Each structure stands twice: as C-alpha cells, then as structure tokens.
C-alpha cells in the first residue's frame, strides 16, 4: 500500500523547509544560449550555522563535483542551505552562499569556526552554454532570499532549467509522504537516462547524445533521526531512482543527502553533553520511513518531467516535454 502524500506533495511539507529558484534563460546568438539557474533548499527558517541539523549523505555514483560532503560524512551535520546548480557554477554558487551566510552571521570565521557550504550539481551543457559561466554569486544569494514555504515550482526552473531526463525535459521535481505523525519530503534535480530506459512509460528510442547525466536527491523529514540513520535513508533513495529505470551510468553523478529537522545541534554549548531522542532502528516506523523515501524519490523524478516544458537551447537544440499521461 502506498503512503499518503502531504498537503503540497513537496519537500516543503516538512515544516520549516523553504525552496527558492533563480532561472536564467537568454539566447545570446545562434550558437549560444544561457539556459541554467540556481535552486536553494533552506532546512529551517533560523540561523542554520548556529542551529545545525543532523544529516547524512550517500554517493550512489561519484562522477560529481558536489562540495561539503566530506565534512557532512565526518560530523553528520548540515550547517548551510543546500544549493543546486550546473557543474561549472559550483564555485560561484558556493561563493554566493558564503556571502549570504557571512552577512547573516558575523561570527563565522571571526570569533567562531569556518562554515561548510553544500552545493550539488548536474551537467546541463546539452542545452546550456555552460562555458559562459552565466551563474554568478549574486544569483545564489537571490535564490536563498526567494526561498519560501508552500507549493514548489517544478520542472524547467532554477537549477533544472537546462536539464534533460530520459531524453525529455527534466529538472526540478518534488514529492512527499506521511508516515504516522511524521513527514518525509524529497526534491530532485533530474538529468539522466535514455528514453528506452524509462520503466513508467513506453517511449521510442531517440538519437539525442547527451552526457551520461546525473541526479541530486535531497530528502528532508521531521522524524527524529541522527546522522547514521539518515545515511541509511539516503541509501534508500537509490531504490526510488532505480524504480524509474536509471542504470546509474559510469559518467553519472548520483548523490543523495538526507536531513532531519526534529533536533537542532547548537554550534556552541556550555556543557560537554548533548542528548537527543531518536527512533529505534528496529521500530516498524523505520521501514515505513524507508518506503517513504523510495516512493517520494520515484515520484519526484516523474514530477520533474511532468512539470517541465519544451525548452530551446544552444546550437538550435530542442528538448521536448515528456508525453506523460496523468
């Protein structure tokens, strides 16, 4: 039995999680088109550096250029917005996010430690003139400023503007599931697969020669879990990805990040001990949470196709909207 969906069927069904986009689209000349953007996921509405969240990550296939995963793997904490963009814009987006965080918290790098910025990417160079490096640090700053709760704009928006999924227009997709009193939400940046691989549709093969592709999978929840458990949930996103038909290609950067909003980890504390309550691994709720991640990931990928529109890119290339029937 499938689990029920949240109010918006989006990652923002997890209370406190906000999403913002900046979309860049401009035809420069016959050869070049800017077709890219930035997406920001804010884990909560407070100071994420001062009130960190438990987090875990899983590298399904490591052909990616994501920043911030080493420290997340070591410490099990998220202390910045999660940012998504194209492969060549990771540096600019990291800088813009750092600018935002330095402005928001004057202690960073002064009276306290430095900060670990998380930026994920996919290669949108089939449609986007990626060498122009159109994304600037102010676009990251603006995406964070635009982040809001409620319905999430999906499809060819933000970081998803130039992405291709199963040979059709992909990009940003989101979904959510309810497990007892808890909510699990997922947001993906889809950019992978060939038409004949899709398991949910009978599409004819096409001759589009795109890179192997990638996907970023961001999972949020309000269930009280700690970092090791969240890594286990991030691993389950692989099953949701596989359900759609992904073969997790050699040149694919497939990465999942999971965080929980249930407990906050203060950057500074007066005592050496911290106490959390968390769900036992052997409680039946854990299996339902695994199911929720798998279902939400699968549907988020389908939604990235469902909401995307036919997009014109560089060198006269066109990627059509997928013929998905509701």
């Amino acid at each position: 039995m499938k689990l029920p969906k949240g109010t918006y069927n989006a990652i923002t069904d997890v209370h406190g999680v906000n999403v913002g986009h900046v979309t860049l689209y401009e035809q420069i000349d016959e050869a070049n088109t800017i077709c890219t953007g930035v997406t920001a996921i804010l884990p909560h509405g407070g100071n994420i550096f001062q009130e960190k969240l438990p987090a875990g990550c899983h590298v399904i296939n490591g052909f990616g250029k994501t920043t911030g995963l080493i420290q997340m793997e070591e410490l099990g904490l998220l202390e910045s917005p999660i940012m998504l963009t194209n492969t060549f814009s990771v540096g600019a987006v990291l800088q813009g996010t750092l600018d935002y965080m330095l402005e928001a918290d004057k202690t960073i790098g002064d009276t306290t430690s430095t900060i670990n910025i998380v930026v994920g990417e996919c290669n949108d160079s089939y449609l986007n003139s990626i060498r122009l490096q159109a994304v600037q640090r102010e676009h990251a700053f603006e995406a964070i400023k635009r982040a809001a709760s409620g319905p999430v704009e999906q499809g060819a928006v933000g970081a998803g503007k130039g992405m291709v999924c199963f040979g059709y227009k992909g990009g940003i997709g989101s979904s959510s599931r309810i497990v007892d009193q808890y909510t699990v939400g997922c947001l993906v940046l889809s950019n992978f697969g060939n038409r004949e691989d899709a398991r949910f549709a009978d599409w004819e093969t096409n001759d589009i020669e795109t890179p192997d592709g990638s996907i970023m999978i961001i999972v949020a929840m309000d269930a009280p879990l700690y970092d090791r458990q969240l890594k286990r949930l991030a691993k389950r996103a692989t099953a949701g990805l596989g359900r759609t038909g992904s073969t997790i290609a050699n040149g694919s950067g497939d990465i999942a990040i999971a965080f929980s909003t249930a407990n906050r980890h203060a950057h500074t504390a007066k005592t050496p001990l911290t106490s959390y309550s968390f769900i036992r691994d052997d409680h039946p709720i854990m299996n339902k949470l695994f199911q929720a991640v798998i279902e939400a990931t699968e549907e988020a990928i389908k939604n990235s196709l469902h909401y995307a529109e036919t997009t014109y890119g560089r060198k006269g290339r066109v990627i059509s909207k997928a013929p998905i029937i509701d």
Side-chain angles (χ1 to χ4, degrees), residues 216-266:
M216 290 296 307
I217 304 170
I218 312 302
V219 178
M221 68 199 68
D222 54 15
L225 304 177
Y226 63 98
D227 58 297
R228 181 187 60 78
Q229 295 174 312
L230 289 162
K231 184 178 183 67
R232 295 186 75 202
L233 265 74
K235 289 179 178 180
R236 268 60 184 185
T238 310
L241 175 61
R243 281 186 177 186
T244 67
S246 170
T247 58
I248 309 175
N250 171 69
S252 186
D254 302 337
I255 295 169
I257 298 171
F259 65 88
S260 169
T261 63
N263 294 304
R264 298 191 184 186
H265 182 91

Short mmCIF file of all heavy atoms in Angstrom, two decimals, residues 216-266:
data_model
loop_
_atom_site.label_atom_id
_atom_site.label_comp_id
_atom_site.label_asym_id
_atom_site.label_seq_id
_atom_site.Cartn_x
_atom_site.Cartn_y
_atom_site.Cartn_z
N MET A 216 20.69 14.86 -8.36
CA MET A 216 20.83 15.22 -6.95
C MET A 216 19.49 14.93 -6.27
O MET A 216 18.44 15.34 -6.78
CB MET A 216 21.17 16.70 -6.80
CG MET A 216 22.57 17.08 -7.25
SD MET A 216 23.90 16.33 -6.28
CE MET A 216 23.45 16.77 -4.60
N ILE A 217 19.53 14.22 -5.16
CA ILE A 217 18.33 13.85 -4.42
C ILE A 217 18.44 14.40 -3.01
O ILE A 217 19.36 14.02 -2.26
CB ILE A 217 18.16 12.31 -4.37
CG1 ILE A 217 18.16 11.72 -5.78
CG2 ILE A 217 16.88 11.94 -3.61
CD1 ILE A 217 18.25 10.20 -5.81
N ILE A 218 17.55 15.30 -2.64
CA ILE A 218 17.55 15.91 -1.32
C ILE A 218 16.32 15.42 -0.56
O ILE A 218 15.19 15.62 -1.02
CB ILE A 218 17.54 17.45 -1.40
CG1 ILE A 218 18.58 17.97 -2.40
CG2 ILE A 218 17.74 18.05 -0.01
CD1 ILE A 218 20.01 17.54 -2.11
N VAL A 219 16.54 14.79 0.58
CA VAL A 219 15.47 14.23 1.39
C VAL A 219 15.41 14.97 2.73
O VAL A 219 16.43 15.09 3.42
CB VAL A 219 15.67 12.73 1.64
CG1 VAL A 219 14.57 12.18 2.54
CG2 VAL A 219 15.72 11.97 0.31
N ALA A 220 14.23 15.47 3.08
CA ALA A 220 14.01 16.15 4.36
C ALA A 220 12.94 15.41 5.14
O ALA A 220 12.04 14.80 4.54
CB ALA A 220 13.58 17.60 4.13
N MET A 221 13.03 15.46 6.46
CA MET A 221 12.00 14.82 7.29
C MET A 221 11.98 15.45 8.67
O MET A 221 12.96 16.08 9.09
CB MET A 221 12.25 13.32 7.40
CG MET A 221 13.48 12.94 8.17
SD MET A 221 14.00 11.26 7.79
CE MET A 221 14.53 11.45 6.08
N ASP A 222 10.86 15.29 9.35
CA ASP A 222 10.76 15.76 10.72
C ASP A 222 10.77 14.61 11.72
O ASP A 222 10.55 14.80 12.92
CB ASP A 222 9.53 16.64 10.92
CG ASP A 222 8.23 15.96 10.49
OD1 ASP A 222 8.24 14.74 10.30
OD2 ASP A 222 7.22 16.67 10.33
N ALA A 223 11.05 13.42 11.25
CA ALA A 223 11.21 12.27 12.15
C ALA A 223 12.54 12.41 12.90
O ALA A 223 13.55 12.76 12.29
CB ALA A 223 11.18 10.97 11.36
N PRO A 224 12.56 12.13 14.19
CA PRO A 224 13.80 12.29 14.96
C PRO A 224 14.79 11.16 14.68
O PRO A 224 14.66 10.05 15.20
CB PRO A 224 13.30 12.26 16.42
CG PRO A 224 12.04 11.45 16.37
CD PRO A 224 11.42 11.74 15.05
N LEU A 225 15.76 11.45 13.85
CA LEU A 225 16.82 10.51 13.49
C LEU A 225 18.17 11.19 13.63
O LEU A 225 18.25 12.43 13.56
CB LEU A 225 16.65 10.02 12.05
CG LEU A 225 15.31 9.38 11.67
CD1 LEU A 225 15.30 9.04 10.19
CD2 LEU A 225 15.03 8.14 12.50
N TYR A 226 19.22 10.40 13.80
CA TYR A 226 20.55 11.00 13.82
C TYR A 226 21.30 10.61 12.56
O TYR A 226 20.76 9.91 11.68
CB TYR A 226 21.30 10.61 15.11
CG TYR A 226 21.58 9.15 15.29
CD1 TYR A 226 22.82 8.62 14.96
CD2 TYR A 226 20.62 8.28 15.84
CE1 TYR A 226 23.11 7.28 15.16
CE2 TYR A 226 20.90 6.94 16.04
CZ TYR A 226 22.14 6.44 15.69
OH TYR A 226 22.43 5.11 15.88
N ASP A 227 22.54 11.08 12.42
CA ASP A 227 23.22 11.05 11.13
C ASP A 227 23.38 9.65 10.53
O ASP A 227 23.21 9.47 9.32
CB ASP A 227 24.59 11.73 11.23
CG ASP A 227 25.49 11.10 12.27
OD1 ASP A 227 25.13 11.14 13.46
OD2 ASP A 227 26.57 10.59 11.91
N ARG A 228 23.71 8.64 11.36
CA ARG A 228 23.87 7.31 10.79
C ARG A 228 22.56 6.80 10.20
O ARG A 228 22.54 6.20 9.12
CB ARG A 228 24.36 6.33 11.87
CG ARG A 228 24.57 4.90 11.34
CD ARG A 228 24.88 3.92 12.46
NE ARG A 228 23.84 3.84 13.46
CZ ARG A 228 22.69 3.16 13.30
NH1 ARG A 228 22.42 2.53 12.17
NH2 ARG A 228 21.80 3.13 14.28
N GLN A 229 21.45 7.07 10.89
CA GLN A 229 20.15 6.66 10.39
C GLN A 229 19.78 7.42 9.12
O GLN A 229 19.20 6.85 8.19
CB GLN A 229 19.10 6.88 11.46
CG GLN A 229 19.29 6.02 12.70
CD GLN A 229 18.31 6.39 13.80
OE1 GLN A 229 18.12 7.56 14.13
NE2 GLN A 229 17.65 5.38 14.37
N LEU A 230 20.15 8.69 9.07
CA LEU A 230 19.84 9.49 7.89
C LEU A 230 20.64 9.02 6.68
O LEU A 230 20.16 9.07 5.54
CB LEU A 230 20.10 10.97 8.18
CG LEU A 230 19.09 11.59 9.15
CD1 LEU A 230 19.63 12.88 9.75
CD2 LEU A 230 17.76 11.85 8.44
N LYS A 231 21.85 8.55 6.92
CA LYS A 231 22.62 7.96 5.82
C LYS A 231 21.92 6.72 5.30
O LYS A 231 21.88 6.48 4.08
CB LYS A 231 24.03 7.62 6.28
CG LYS A 231 24.94 7.09 5.18
CD LYS A 231 26.33 6.82 5.70
CE LYS A 231 27.26 6.37 4.57
NZ LYS A 231 27.52 7.45 3.59
N ARG A 232 21.34 5.93 6.19
CA ARG A 232 20.59 4.75 5.77
C ARG A 232 19.41 5.15 4.89
O ARG A 232 19.11 4.48 3.89
CB ARG A 232 20.09 3.97 6.99
CG ARG A 232 21.17 3.38 7.87
CD ARG A 232 20.57 2.51 8.95
NE ARG A 232 20.10 1.24 8.41
CZ ARG A 232 19.19 0.47 8.97
NH1 ARG A 232 18.59 0.86 10.11
NH2 ARG A 232 18.83 -0.67 8.43
N LEU A 233 18.73 6.24 5.26
CA LEU A 233 17.60 6.70 4.44
C LEU A 233 18.08 7.24 3.09
O LEU A 233 17.44 7.01 2.07
CB LEU A 233 16.78 7.75 5.19
CG LEU A 233 15.57 7.15 5.92
CD1 LEU A 233 16.01 6.39 7.16
CD2 LEU A 233 14.57 8.23 6.29
N ALA A 234 19.22 7.95 3.10
CA ALA A 234 19.77 8.45 1.84
C ALA A 234 20.07 7.29 0.89
O ALA A 234 19.86 7.40 -0.33
CB ALA A 234 21.03 9.27 2.10
N LYS A 235 20.52 6.16 1.43
CA LYS A 235 20.80 4.99 0.59
C LYS A 235 19.52 4.48 -0.07
O LYS A 235 19.56 3.98 -1.20
CB LYS A 235 21.42 3.88 1.43
CG LYS A 235 22.84 4.15 1.88
CD LYS A 235 23.37 3.00 2.72
CE LYS A 235 24.81 3.23 3.15
NZ LYS A 235 25.34 2.12 3.97
N ARG A 236 18.39 4.59 0.63
CA ARG A 236 17.12 4.09 0.07
C ARG A 236 16.66 4.90 -1.13
O ARG A 236 15.87 4.42 -1.95
CB ARG A 236 16.03 4.08 1.13
CG ARG A 236 15.91 2.77 1.90
CD ARG A 236 17.17 2.41 2.62
NE ARG A 236 17.07 1.10 3.28
CZ ARG A 236 18.02 0.61 4.04
NH1 ARG A 236 19.14 1.28 4.25
NH2 ARG A 236 17.87 -0.58 4.60
N ALA A 237 17.16 6.12 -1.29
CA ALA A 237 16.82 6.89 -2.49
C ALA A 237 17.27 6.17 -3.75
O ALA A 237 16.68 6.35 -4.82
CB ALA A 237 17.46 8.29 -2.41
N THR A 238 18.29 5.33 -3.62
CA THR A 238 18.77 4.55 -4.76
C THR A 238 17.66 3.67 -5.32
O THR A 238 17.53 3.50 -6.54
CB THR A 238 19.97 3.68 -4.34
OG1 THR A 238 20.93 4.48 -3.67
CG2 THR A 238 20.61 3.03 -5.55
N ALA A 239 16.85 3.10 -4.43
CA ALA A 239 15.75 2.24 -4.88
C ALA A 239 14.70 3.04 -5.62
O ALA A 239 14.16 2.57 -6.63
CB ALA A 239 15.12 1.52 -3.68
N GLY A 240 14.40 4.25 -5.16
CA GLY A 240 13.45 5.11 -5.86
C GLY A 240 13.97 5.49 -7.24
O GLY A 240 13.23 5.51 -8.22
N LEU A 241 15.27 5.78 -7.33
CA LEU A 241 15.89 6.10 -8.60
C LEU A 241 15.82 4.90 -9.55
O LEU A 241 15.47 5.03 -10.73
CB LEU A 241 17.35 6.51 -8.37
CG LEU A 241 18.23 6.79 -9.57
CD1 LEU A 241 17.68 7.94 -10.41
CD2 LEU A 241 19.66 7.09 -9.12
N GLY A 242 16.12 3.72 -9.02
CA GLY A 242 16.09 2.52 -9.84
C GLY A 242 14.70 2.18 -10.34
O GLY A 242 14.55 1.64 -11.45
N ARG A 243 13.67 2.47 -9.55
CA ARG A 243 12.30 2.20 -9.98
C ARG A 243 11.94 2.95 -11.27
O ARG A 243 11.12 2.48 -12.06
CB ARG A 243 11.32 2.61 -8.89
CG ARG A 243 11.17 1.63 -7.75
CD ARG A 243 10.07 2.09 -6.81
NE ARG A 243 9.83 1.16 -5.73
CZ ARG A 243 8.84 1.28 -4.85
NH1 ARG A 243 8.02 2.32 -4.92
NH2 ARG A 243 8.69 0.39 -3.89
N THR A 244 12.53 4.10 -11.48
CA THR A 244 12.21 4.87 -12.69
C THR A 244 12.89 4.31 -13.93
O THR A 244 12.46 4.57 -15.05
CB THR A 244 12.60 6.35 -12.53
OG1 THR A 244 14.04 6.47 -12.46
CG2 THR A 244 11.96 6.96 -11.30
N GLY A 245 13.99 3.56 -13.72
CA GLY A 245 14.69 2.96 -14.85
C GLY A 245 16.13 3.40 -14.99
O GLY A 245 16.81 2.99 -15.94
N SER A 246 16.64 4.20 -14.07
CA SER A 246 18.04 4.61 -14.15
C SER A 246 18.96 3.41 -14.08
O SER A 246 18.76 2.50 -13.28
CB SER A 246 18.36 5.57 -13.00
OG SER A 246 19.76 5.80 -12.92
N THR A 247 20.02 3.43 -14.90
CA THR A 247 21.04 2.39 -14.85
C THR A 247 22.27 2.87 -14.09
O THR A 247 23.27 2.15 -14.02
CB THR A 247 21.45 1.97 -16.27
OG1 THR A 247 21.94 3.12 -16.99
CG2 THR A 247 20.28 1.38 -17.02
N ILE A 248 22.21 4.08 -13.55
CA ILE A 248 23.32 4.66 -12.78
C ILE A 248 24.61 4.52 -13.59
O ILE A 248 25.53 3.77 -13.24
CB ILE A 248 23.43 4.02 -11.38
CG1 ILE A 248 22.06 4.04 -10.68
CG2 ILE A 248 24.47 4.74 -10.52
CD1 ILE A 248 22.03 3.33 -9.35
N ALA A 249 24.66 5.27 -14.67
CA ALA A 249 25.72 5.12 -15.67
C ALA A 249 27.10 5.49 -15.13
O ALA A 249 27.23 6.17 -14.11
CB ALA A 249 25.39 5.99 -16.88
N ASN A 250 28.13 5.05 -15.85
CA ASN A 250 29.51 5.29 -15.45
C ASN A 250 29.79 6.77 -15.21
O ASN A 250 30.45 7.14 -14.24
CB ASN A 250 30.45 4.75 -16.53
CG ASN A 250 31.89 5.15 -16.28
OD1 ASN A 250 32.52 4.69 -15.35
ND2 ASN A 250 32.43 6.04 -17.11
N GLY A 251 29.29 7.63 -16.10
CA GLY A 251 29.58 9.05 -16.01
C GLY A 251 28.49 9.84 -15.30
O GLY A 251 28.35 11.04 -15.52
N SER A 252 27.74 9.18 -14.44
CA SER A 252 26.63 9.83 -13.76
C SER A 252 27.00 10.17 -12.33
O SER A 252 27.53 9.33 -11.59
CB SER A 252 25.41 8.90 -13.78
OG SER A 252 24.28 9.56 -13.25
N GLY A 253 26.73 11.40 -11.93
CA GLY A 253 26.93 11.82 -10.55
C GLY A 253 25.62 11.74 -9.80
O GLY A 253 24.81 12.65 -9.87
N ASP A 254 25.39 10.65 -9.11
CA ASP A 254 24.12 10.40 -8.42
C ASP A 254 24.37 10.47 -6.92
O ASP A 254 25.02 9.58 -6.34
CB ASP A 254 23.58 9.02 -8.79
CG ASP A 254 23.38 8.87 -10.30
OD1 ASP A 254 23.24 9.89 -10.98
OD2 ASP A 254 23.37 7.73 -10.78
N ILE A 255 23.82 11.49 -6.28
CA ILE A 255 24.13 11.77 -4.88
C ILE A 255 22.86 12.07 -4.11
O ILE A 255 22.00 12.83 -4.59
CB ILE A 255 25.12 12.95 -4.77
CG1 ILE A 255 26.46 12.56 -5.42
CG2 ILE A 255 25.32 13.37 -3.31
CD1 ILE A 255 27.41 13.69 -5.61
N ALA A 256 22.72 11.49 -2.92
CA ALA A 256 21.56 11.73 -2.06
C ALA A 256 22.02 12.32 -0.73
O ALA A 256 23.01 11.88 -0.15
CB ALA A 256 20.81 10.42 -1.82
N ILE A 257 21.26 13.31 -0.27
CA ILE A 257 21.51 13.95 1.03
C ILE A 257 20.21 13.91 1.81
O ILE A 257 19.15 14.24 1.27
CB ILE A 257 21.96 15.41 0.85
CG1 ILE A 257 23.28 15.48 0.07
CG2 ILE A 257 22.10 16.11 2.20
CD1 ILE A 257 23.68 16.88 -0.35
N ALA A 258 20.27 13.50 3.06
CA ALA A 258 19.08 13.44 3.90
C ALA A 258 19.34 14.19 5.21
O ALA A 258 20.41 14.06 5.80
CB ALA A 258 18.69 11.99 4.20
N PHE A 259 18.34 14.96 5.65
CA PHE A 259 18.47 15.67 6.92
C PHE A 259 17.15 15.63 7.67
O PHE A 259 16.09 15.43 7.09
CB PHE A 259 18.93 17.12 6.72
CG PHE A 259 17.97 18.01 5.98
CD1 PHE A 259 16.97 18.70 6.66
CD2 PHE A 259 18.07 18.17 4.61
CE1 PHE A 259 16.09 19.53 5.98
CE2 PHE A 259 17.19 19.00 3.91
CZ PHE A 259 16.19 19.69 4.60
N SER A 260 17.26 15.79 8.99
CA SER A 260 16.08 15.81 9.85
C SER A 260 15.97 17.14 10.57
O SER A 260 16.98 17.68 11.06
CB SER A 260 16.16 14.69 10.89
OG SER A 260 15.15 14.85 11.88
N THR A 261 14.76 17.68 10.64
CA THR A 261 14.53 18.96 11.33
C THR A 261 14.10 18.76 12.78
O THR A 261 13.83 19.74 13.49
CB THR A 261 13.43 19.76 10.60
OG1 THR A 261 12.20 19.02 10.64
CG2 THR A 261 13.81 20.01 9.15
N ALA A 262 14.03 17.52 13.24
CA ALA A 262 13.47 17.23 14.56
C ALA A 262 14.35 17.72 15.70
O ALA A 262 13.86 18.17 16.74
CB ALA A 262 13.21 15.74 14.71
N ASN A 263 15.65 17.63 15.53
CA ASN A 263 16.60 18.04 16.57
C ASN A 263 17.59 19.04 15.99
O ASN A 263 18.03 18.89 14.85
CB ASN A 263 17.36 16.84 17.13
CG ASN A 263 16.47 15.88 17.88
OD1 ASN A 263 15.78 16.27 18.81
ND2 ASN A 263 16.47 14.61 17.46
N ARG A 264 17.93 20.04 16.78
CA ARG A 264 18.91 21.02 16.36
C ARG A 264 20.16 20.90 17.24
O ARG A 264 20.06 20.71 18.45
CB ARG A 264 18.34 22.44 16.42
CG ARG A 264 17.16 22.62 15.48
CD ARG A 264 16.75 24.06 15.33
NE ARG A 264 15.56 24.20 14.50
CZ ARG A 264 15.05 25.36 14.11
NH1 ARG A 264 15.62 26.50 14.50
NH2 ARG A 264 13.98 25.39 13.34
N HIS A 265 21.30 21.04 16.61
CA HIS A 265 22.59 20.92 17.29
C HIS A 265 23.20 22.32 17.39
O HIS A 265 23.62 22.90 16.39
CB HIS A 265 23.51 19.99 16.49
CG HIS A 265 24.84 19.76 17.12
ND1 HIS A 265 25.07 18.71 17.98
CD2 HIS A 265 26.01 20.44 17.02
CE1 HIS A 265 26.33 18.75 18.39
NE2 HIS A 265 26.92 19.80 17.81
N ALA A 266 23.24 22.86 18.59
CA ALA A 266 23.76 24.20 18.80
C ALA A 266 25.26 24.25 18.49
O ALA A 266 26.02 23.35 18.86
CB ALA A 266 23.51 24.64 20.23
#
